[in-house]
């Protein structure tokens, strides 16, 4: 494979950004991706009430619409009708928290891995951005995956790069916040080459989080962890 960051590598990566009401940050994210050399940028507007989609379109991103709410549903929409030249899918958030400038380290590892995950818990800066509820949810999810599937992750963060062939084999079914969890479990079941990479995640640049800091949403997220893992366990053995 050519050197990381070369035009050939970048042409093979499709960026997918699920976004809802991120008008204050989506432009920054797209600019950062362009600065790193990414050209295939898709923003999936997940029912925004602001001009997130218009801003993304003005900046040259491909904009898709998925009006039905659901993080996984938006991600799934972004994976349809891919160009034949796409070999990798890069998922990141539209709130500016993901350290796009650290992606060259991911690109250096493409040859030897199928799933590369940003690990927020491995750096002091990353840990500082996680609320106690997020930290607890991470520990719950990673512990249960370790007990059920024999592989211990450190994080369930949004920044991830997955080989297209591997993604298609995952047969993803979740359309909500269990999306990231299902992807990581299916990667284990498929025997994929997985690596978590320490990243200096930061607080969202503006706007309000849809989950972190909100007790009701955080409790629902905990429920999602349990129900998603239960469904995946049954799927594995039934």
């Amino acid at each position: 494979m050519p050197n990381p960051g070369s035009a050939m590598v970048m042409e093979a990566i499709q960026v997918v950004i699920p976004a809802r009401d991120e008008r204050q940050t989506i432009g920054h994210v797209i600019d950062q991706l362009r600065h790193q050399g990414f050209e295939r940028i898709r923003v999936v507007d997940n029912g925004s009430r602001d001009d997130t989609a218009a801003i993304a379109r003005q900046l040259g991103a491909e904009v898709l619409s998925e009006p039905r709410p659901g993080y996984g549903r938006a991600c799934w929409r972004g994976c349809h009708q891919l160009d034949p030249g796409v070999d990798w899918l890069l998922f990141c958030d539209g709130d500016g928290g993901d350290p796009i400038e650290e992606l060259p380290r991911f690109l250096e590892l493409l040859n030897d891995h199928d799933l590369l995950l940003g690990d927020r818990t491995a750096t002091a800066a990353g840990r500082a951005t996680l609320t106690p509820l997020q930290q607890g949810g991470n520990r719950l999810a990673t512990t249960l995956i370790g007990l059920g599937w024999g592989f211990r992750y450190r994080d369930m963060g949004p920044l991830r790069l997955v080989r297209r062939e591997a993604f298609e084999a995952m047969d993803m079914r979740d359309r909500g916040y269990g999306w990231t969890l299902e992807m990581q479990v299916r990667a284990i079941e498929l025997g994929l080459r997985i690596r978590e990479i320490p990243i200096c995640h930061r607080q969202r640049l503006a706007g309000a989080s849809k989950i972190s800091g909100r007790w009701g949403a955080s409790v629902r997220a905990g429920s999602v962890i349990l129900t998603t893992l239960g469904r995946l366990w049954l799927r594995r053995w039934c």
Side-chain angles (χ1 to χ4, degrees):
M1 177 177 288
N3 292 330
S6 71
M8 189 177 298
V9 171
M10 295 315 213
E11 184 68 17
I13 299 174
Q14 175 68 66
V15 181
V16 177
I17 311 172
R20 184 171 77 244
D21 297 332
E22 299 289 9
R23 68 173 306 277
Q24 295 175 283
T25 57
I26 193 65
H28 173 82
V29 174
I30 293 172
D31 285 343
Q32 290 295 301
L33 288 163
R34 296 285 190 210
H35 182 71
Q36 293 298 326
F38 294 95
E39 295 296 330
R40 298 183 187 271
I41 301 174
R42 278 185 175 178
V43 173
V44 183
D45 180 28
N46 196 205
S48 294
R49 293 164 294 181
D50 62 15
D51 53 351
T52 295
I55 293 171
R57 195 173 287 112
Q58 288 170 3
L59 292 173
E62 179 185 8
V63 177
L64 304 180
S65 175
E66 177 46 79
R68 296 171 295 176
Y71 178 81
R73 196 178 300 279
C75 290
W76 181 247
R77 176 71 179 90
C79 298
H80 287 174
Q81 296 178 317
L82 296 172
D83 188 274
V86 170
D87 295 324
W88 291 86
L89 292 164
L90 171 64
F91 296 93
C92 66
D93 279 352
D95 62 9
D98 291 324
I100 303 301
E101 70 277 6
E102 297 184 27
L103 283 172
R105 293 193 290 121
F106 286 60
L107 303 183
E108 292 173 356
L109 300 170
L110 292 186
N111 281 337
D112 301 318
H113 299 85
D114 303 302
L115 177 62
L116 295 161
L117 304 161
D119 179 7
R120 302 166 296 180
T121 71
T123 67
R127 289 191 297 273
T129 67
L130 301 176
T131 67
L133 285 170
Q134 287 177 303
Q135 293 177 31
N138 252 342
R139 285 194 293 271
L140 174 63
T142 56
T143 298
L144 291 177
I145 290 175
L147 291 173
W149 284 267
F151 185 98
R152 184 64 184 265
Y153 288 103
R154 292 175 56 95
D155 197 6
M156 296 280 135
L159 186 62
R160 51 192 57 212
L161 187 60
V162 58
R163 193 181 299 274
R164 178 180 181 176
E165 182 181 9
F167 175 80
E168 292 173 348
M170 288 175 179
D171 186 25
M172 296 287 291
R173 301 180 186 181
D174 193 277
R175 298 295 181 263
Y177 280 106
W179 170 273
T180 56
L181 189 60
E182 180 181 22
M183 182 180 292
Q184 289 175 232
V185 167
R186 290 293 293 140
I188 299 169
E189 293 177 342
L190 292 168
L192 301 184
R193 298 167 297 173
I194 304 164
R195 180 159 175 178
E196 291 183 283
I197 302 170
I199 59 171
C200 293
H201 192 266
R202 49 185 166 257
Q203 297 287 355
R204 65 166 34 248
L205 294 181
S209 170
K210 281 70 176 178
I211 292 185
S212 63
R214 301 184 181 185
W215 278 95
S218 297
V219 169
R220 288 194 295 274
S223 176
V224 166
I225 290 172
L226 295 175
T227 56
T228 300
L229 286 176
R231 175 175 55 79
L232 289 167
W233 181 263
L234 291 173
R235 177 180 172 183
R236 179 184 184 189
W237 296 108
C238 297

